[in-house]
DNA sequence: TTAGGGTTAG
């Protein structure tokens, strides 16, 4: 290995302003400075730089570049500023290369003002100067600025290269931007670059176009682990966990080793599908990265979303380092699983730690209040969030409060709060109010809220269903029929109820009206037997299924065979008696299934966990963790 | 001799 000093070149002084020093002395000063820079001795190099400046001397650009690298590795912002001042001392203009290095230093120090000052002052700029700027804006998520710079760069006659494209792709806000850049990339023959490819895959996936991402991926001849991570992560983020897990298998077959980023996406995929067994298997492979913060955060989330709170708590407690995401994940996880009081206690612990809560943390806290009907706590946290944490209430915070107030029977207060919102209420906000109207049976307000939702999100089948159920509850059959006609006319179809259960690391799906499961006959038989046994201990099947139809289970199908009941029967048939039965649903659980599961947990002496899109129900010994409040 | 891609919470 070459020693650092071997890099040191002897050179003549670049510029001499004062001639009181002999040429030999100047050379000695410069050589000493160069030696210290290459040895990365920052304090001594800074002193030597002072001497240079007092004698009007400048070293060569490569030496300063070394010194700046040293500042970067020590995050020495003050020293970086001194170097910059020295380089521009007395109107001296550093070489373009060196200005690029300086700009990059300020980017890494996150000092955008200085970045711009230097960039604006440059007499000439090359592709690297422009790309450094574009990358800086992309990283700060100032996407529009980054795209504007690309346009200015093109106007300046500078052609983008692979570095520019891989930076600017991250700044694309819409598909049209990506497609335009993609054309440029193909035209310039740059699509084979692995950085450009992974950036393209990533941006297509993040914009919800996994098909395009896969096309770019499949065209690849040679790739690396990061391209695999981009495509796996892309599918995991787009609720296509099944594809993500399939790609992960392909990645392993192709001989690539899964590292932190891969495993984090794999965990996210398991989280999306609530695949506890597979997630636990991934956990075993993660042990060697047990200090990795992001992976641990993903693990806590996976266990929470799979309803395995003991495991989530264990990982959380063993973590040596926790950040705001760790705390927020655990707080929301506890709240979603029905442990609201514990979630609020954890928030108090967080406050005594060094980590500051953020917007999402407070969403979790208010979520905990809303799911347990903790009205006073909710108001306290909502009213104090700005004063205590400097966080302005956003849609999600208002949404939790509207849900809390509405379900507590204070619909007037909920409407008042909705009207006071600083941001415009969206379809989700109005849907929250509609949900509260359903619980309270307030038809007039429900009609108003539904109208608002439909205006903002006309394709949402759930809204029509909730409204139709509210009418049915009041025996307004004409109105029910009108809704059905309206849906038919608009071609809106309700999403069929679907439940998934993992058995031997395989996912089994049960969909209303779908007979394709190979064991469906046995499953139905088992379910009917269970229904009869439950009737024996007091279960009264709801016959008026229209009244029970909550957000979309098909009215035409009998409640008897709602998808979660089929999945439960299958779980009882196939899983060992000590195993928890974990079911994931696409729609919210209905009242009849809720009673059914409570009784089944008692009769069969089993723990049953059902995860719906909003929250999880832990059934045990005839009770549910939600306290029948959902 | 400077510039580029992938991972976590609502």
């Amino acid at each position: 290995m070459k020693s650092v000093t071997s890099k040191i070149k002897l050179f003549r002084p670049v510029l001499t302003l004062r001639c009181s020093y002999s040429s030999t002395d100047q050379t000695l000063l410069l050589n000493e400075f160069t030696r210290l820079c290459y040895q990365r001795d920052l304090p001594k190099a800074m002193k030597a730089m002072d001497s240079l400046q007092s004698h009007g001397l400048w070293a060569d650009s490569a030496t300063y570049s070394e010194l700046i690298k040293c500042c970067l590795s020590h995050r020495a912002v003050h020293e970086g500023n001194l170097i910059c001042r020295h380089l521009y001392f007395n109107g001296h203009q550093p070489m373009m290369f060196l200005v690029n290095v300086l700009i990059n230093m300020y980017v890494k120090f996150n000092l955008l003002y200085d970045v711009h000052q230097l960039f604006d002052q440059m007499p000439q700029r090359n592709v690297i100067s422009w790309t450094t700027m574009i990358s800086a804006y992309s990283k700060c998520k100032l996407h529009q600025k980054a795209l504007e710079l690309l346009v200015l760069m093109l106007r300046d006659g500078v052609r983008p290269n692979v570095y520019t494209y891989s930076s600017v792709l991250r700044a694309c806000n819409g598909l049209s931007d990506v497609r335009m850049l993609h054309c440029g990339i193909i035209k310039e023959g740059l699509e084979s670059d692995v950085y450009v490819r992974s950036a393209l895959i990533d941006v297509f996936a993040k914009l919800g176009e996994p098909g395009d991402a896969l096309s770019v991926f499949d065209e690849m001849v040679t790739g690396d682990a990061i391209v695999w991570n981009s495509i796996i992560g892309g599918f995991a983020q787009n609720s296509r966990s099944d594809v993500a897990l399939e790609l992960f298998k392909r990645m392993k077959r192709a001989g690539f080793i899964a590292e932190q980023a891969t495993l984090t996406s794999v965990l996210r995929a398991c989280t999306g599908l609530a695949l506890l067994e597979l997630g636990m298997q991934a956990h075993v492979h993660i042990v060697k990265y047990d200090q990795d913060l992001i992976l641990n955060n993903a693990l806590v989330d996976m266990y929470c979303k799979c309803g395995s709170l003991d495991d989530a708590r264990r990982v959380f407690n063993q973590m040596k380092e926790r950040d705001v995401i760790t705390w927020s994940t655990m707080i929301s996880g506890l709240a979603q699983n029905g442990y609201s009081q514990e979630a609020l206690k954890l928030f108090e612990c967080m406050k005594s730690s060094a980590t500051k809560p953020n917007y999402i943390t407070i969403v979790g806290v208010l979520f905990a209040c809303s799911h347990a009907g903790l009205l006073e706590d909710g108001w306290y946290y909502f009213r104090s969030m700005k004063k205590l944490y400097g966080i302005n209430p956003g849609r999600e915070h208002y949404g939790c409060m509207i849900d809390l107030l509405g379900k507590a029977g204070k619909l007037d207060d909920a409407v008042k709060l909705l009207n006071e919102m600083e941001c415009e209420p969206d379809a989700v906000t109005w849907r929250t109010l509609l949900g509260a109207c359903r619980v309270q049976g307030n038809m007039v307000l429900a009609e108003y809220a539904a109208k608002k939702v439909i205006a903002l999100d006309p394709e949402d089948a759930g809204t029509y269903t909730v409204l139709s159920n509210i009418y049915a509850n009041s025996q307004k059959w004409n109105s029910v029929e009108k809704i059905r006609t309206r849906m038919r006319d608009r071609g809106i179809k309700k999403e069929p109820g679907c439940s998934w259960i993992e058995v031997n690391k395989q996912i089994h799906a049960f969909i209303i009206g779908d007979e394709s499961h190979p064991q469906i006959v046995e499953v139905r038989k088992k379910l009917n037997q269970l229904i009869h046994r439950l009737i024996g201990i007091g279960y009264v099947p709801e016959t008026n299924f229209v009244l029970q139809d909550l957000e979309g289970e098909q009215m035409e199908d009998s409640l008897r065979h709602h998808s979660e009941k089929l999945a439960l029967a299958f779980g009882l048939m196939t899983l060992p008696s000590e195993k928890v039965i974990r079911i994931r649903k696409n729609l919210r659980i209905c009242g009849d299934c809720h009673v059914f599961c409570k009784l089944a947990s008692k009769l069969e002496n089993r723990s049953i966990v059902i995860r719906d899109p909003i929250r999880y129900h832990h059934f045990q010994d005839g009770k549910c963790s939600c306290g029948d409040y959902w």
Side-chain angles (χ1 to χ4, degrees):
Chain A
M1 205 173 101
K2 269 188 168 180
S3 73
V4 262
T5 43
S6 70
K7 286 187 188 171
I8 300 174
K9 292 170 282 180
L10 286 174
F11 56 84
R12 287 185 298 279
V14 176
L15 186 70
T16 309
L17 291 182
R18 295 177 190 179
C19 299
S20 56
Y21 245 58
S22 74
S23 172
T24 321
D25 290 341
Q26 289 176 7
T27 308
L28 280 173
L29 263 181
L30 286 160
N31 282 345
E32 176 62 3
F33 175 64
T34 306
R35 186 181 65 81
L36 293 166
C37 288
Y38 278 94
Q39 283 180 347
R40 302 275 173 102
D41 189 337
L42 188 60
K44 283 185 184 161
M46 293 306 291
K47 274 189 188 160
M49 192 184 78
D50 253 3
S51 301
L52 290 188
Q53 191 164 309
S54 61
H55 293 96
L57 292 172
W58 279 272
D60 71 332
S61 298
T63 303
Y64 288 115
S65 177
E66 282 301 312
L67 189 58
I68 292 168
K69 276 185 207 161
C70 185
C71 288
L72 280 172
S73 61
H74 288 90
R75 283 208 61 80
V77 181
H78 175 64
E79 285 79 358
N81 275 327
L82 291 177
I83 297 165
C84 187
R85 263 185 243 165
H86 165 69
L87 289 170
Y88 279 93
F89 188 66
N90 270 352
H92 181 251
Q93 177 62 50
M95 279 175 71
M96 192 200 297
F97 145 69
L98 199 49
V99 183
N100 287 343
V101 174
L102 277 173
I103 292 178
N104 182 48
M105 174 188 80
Y106 280 122
V107 170
K108 300 259 163 72
F109 286 153
N110 217 5
L111 297 166
L112 269 191
Y113 175 75
D114 301 270
V115 168
H116 237 293
Q117 278 231 316
L118 289 181
F119 184 76
D120 290 344
Q121 281 171 21
M122 285 178 92
Q124 277 184 315
R125 303 170 186 110
N126 65 5
V127 62
I128 299 178
S129 331
W130 286 101
T131 303
T132 309
M133 292 299 290
I134 290 171
S135 163
Y137 281 117
S138 294
K139 278 178 192 154
C140 302
K141 296 195 169 30
L142 292 165
H143 293 167
Q144 202 49 43
K145 269 289 212 188
L147 291 167
E148 279 167 20
L149 273 170
L150 179 74
V151 173
L152 291 175
M153 171 185 176
L154 292 166
R155 278 195 201 146
D156 213 30
V158 181
R159 277 171 63 183
N161 62 14
V162 285
Y163 288 86
T164 326
Y165 279 118
S166 52
S167 297
V168 79
L169 276 167
R170 283 178 17 162
C172 291
N173 287 316
L175 258 186
S176 57
D177 292 338
V178 193
R179 299 219 192 279
M180 197 178 66
L181 290 175
H182 197 186
C183 287
I185 290 163
I186 293 169
K187 207 169 135 193
E188 301 269 353
L190 304 174
E191 73 272 29
S192 59
D193 183 85
V194 68
Y195 285 78
V196 171
R197 198 172 279 276
S198 62
L200 266 173
I201 291 169
D202 187 55
V203 72
F204 271 131
K206 288 209 166 90
L207 289 170
E209 298 292 333
D212 285 283
L214 201 56
S215 304
V216 176
F217 178 79
D218 285 337
E219 282 163 16
M220 185 174 65
V221 181
T222 53
D224 62 9
I226 295 182
V227 185
W228 280 99
N229 292 345
S230 298
I231 192 74
I232 293 170
F235 276 95
Q237 286 160 31
N238 270 284
S239 314
R240 291 304 309 274
S241 304
D242 48 340
V243 185
L245 293 171
E246 199 45 53
L247 282 161
F248 176 55
K249 281 186 203 159
R250 267 178 68 188
M251 178 187 180
K252 285 195 290 187
R253 282 201 297 271
F256 288 95
I257 298 189
E259 37 174 56
Q260 282 104 317
T262 330
L263 293 166
T264 306
S265 291
V266 168
L267 279 179
R268 185 174 172 148
C270 296
T271 306
L273 293 173
L275 296 174
L276 182 62
E277 301 278 324
L278 206 59
M280 287 175 111
Q281 197 182 331
H283 191 170
V284 175
H285 296 287
I286 288 164
V287 173
K288 63 178 170 178
Y289 299 119
D290 69 338
Q291 293 309 316
D292 187 279
L293 178 64
I294 298 178
L295 252 176
N296 276 324
N297 286 347
L299 258 181
V300 172
D301 191 44
M302 185 273 291
Y303 281 125
C304 284
K305 296 238 166 72
C306 289
S308 191
L309 267 292
D310 287 344
D311 290 306
R313 287 188 195 101
R314 198 172 304 123
V315 176
F316 179 88
N317 290 332
Q318 281 169 0
M319 283 170 75
K320 292 202 171 81
E321 186 193 357
R322 298 183 192 117
D323 65 1
V324 67
I325 298 184
T326 324
W327 290 96
S328 306
T329 308
M330 198 65 216
I331 290 168
S332 296
L334 286 165
Q336 285 163 339
N337 281 282
Y339 300 94
S340 289
Q341 295 289 1
E342 195 182 334
L344 296 183
K345 266 188 204 156
L346 195 69
F347 180 60
E348 294 304 316
C349 290
M350 180 186 182
K351 288 201 292 193
S352 41
S353 80
T355 316
K356 251 182 76 182
N358 67 10
Y359 187 99
I360 300 175
T361 322
I362 308 298
V363 173
V365 169
L366 292 177
F367 194 79
C369 299
S370 84
H371 277 287
L374 305 170
L375 202 55
E376 269 181 41
D377 292 293
W379 270 127
Y380 168 73
Y381 290 118
F382 183 77
R383 284 186 176 135
S384 61
M385 59 188 282
K386 189 170 178 185
K387 195 175 154 202
L388 294 180
Y389 315 111
I391 302 160
N392 283 318
R395 278 200 192 95
E396 294 89 340
H397 304 109
Y398 279 103
C400 288
M401 287 308 292
I402 291 165
D403 186 58
L404 177 53
L405 287 164
K407 287 190 181 146
K410 296 179 181 292
L411 277 176
D412 290 347
D413 290 342
V415 174
K416 192 167 170 263
L417 192 65
L418 193 146
N419 289 324
E420 284 170 6
M421 277 174 73
E422 285 159 32
C423 40
E424 198 60 30
D426 64 0
V428 179
T429 320
W430 287 108
R431 208 175 286 132
T432 307
L433 184 66
L434 177 63
C437 293
R438 178 190 61 80
V439 173
Q440 300 300 329
N442 186 326
M443 200 163 54
V444 179
L445 192 56
E447 281 177 327
Y448 179 70
K451 210 179 259 181
K452 291 281 190 185
V453 182
I454 292 165
L456 292 162
D457 185 6
E459 303 299 312
D460 181 50
T463 307
Y464 295 96
T465 312
V466 174
L467 194 57
S468 137
N469 286 350
I470 294 172
Y471 286 137
N473 263 322
S474 310
Q475 316 287 310
K476 290 191 165 265
W477 304 112
N478 282 345
S479 303
V480 170
E481 193 45 44
K482 268 188 201 163
I483 298 256
R484 286 186 180 183
T485 313
R486 208 165 150 194
M487 286 180 79
R488 250 195 319 271
D489 292 348
R490 291 191 176 192
I492 297 165
K493 283 194 179 139
K494 281 183 287 178
E495 193 181 348
C498 184
S499 294
W500 295 267
I501 181 166
E502 180 190 17
V503 173
N504 294 330
K505 298 186 190 92
Q506 292 287 319
I507 311 162
H508 295 258
F510 293 91
I511 308 164
I512 280 274
D514 175 34
E515 301 285 315
S516 62
H517 191 277
Q519 285 163 275
I520 192 71
V521 177
E522 295 100 301
V523 173
R524 285 193 188 282
K525 197 173 154 194
K526 173 81 183 174
L527 178 56
N528 286 331
Q529 286 168 356
L530 182 62
I531 291 169
H532 277 107
R533 290 174 56 224
L534 287 177
I535 288 171
I537 62 161
Y539 171 59
V540 183
E542 182 55 70
T543 47
N544 191 349
F545 55 84
V546 177
L547 297 183
Q548 288 293 328
D549 187 41
L550 182 74
E551 288 189 21
E553 285 285 17
Q554 282 189 342
M555 292 180 185
E556 294 76 18
D557 274 282
S558 161
L559 277 180
R560 288 173 75 89
H561 290 174
H562 262 181
S563 60
E564 57 267 57
K565 289 193 186 120
L566 291 167
L568 174 60
F570 182 70
L572 289 169
M573 279 164 58
T574 50
L575 289 170
S577 57
E578 72 280 4
K579 281 250 180 189
V580 176
I581 296 175
R582 295 170 198 277
I583 296 165
R584 182 173 64 95
K585 276 209 70 179
N586 64 335
L587 302 169
R588 300 210 66 186
I589 188 168
C590 78
D592 181 68
C593 287
H594 198 261
V595 172
F596 185 91
C597 290
K598 281 201 290 187
L599 291 169
S601 72
K602 190 171 185 173
L603 183 75
E604 297 285 331
N605 195 22
R606 294 292 284 253
S607 282
I608 304 163
V609 181
I610 298 189
R611 165 178 154 184
D612 77 17
I614 308 284
R615 60 171 303 155
Y616 315 138
H617 301 264
H618 292 247
F619 300 97
Q620 187 142 33
D621 199 27
K623 289 185 193 136
C624 178
S625 61
C626 77
D628 302 333
Y629 185 91
W630 81 95

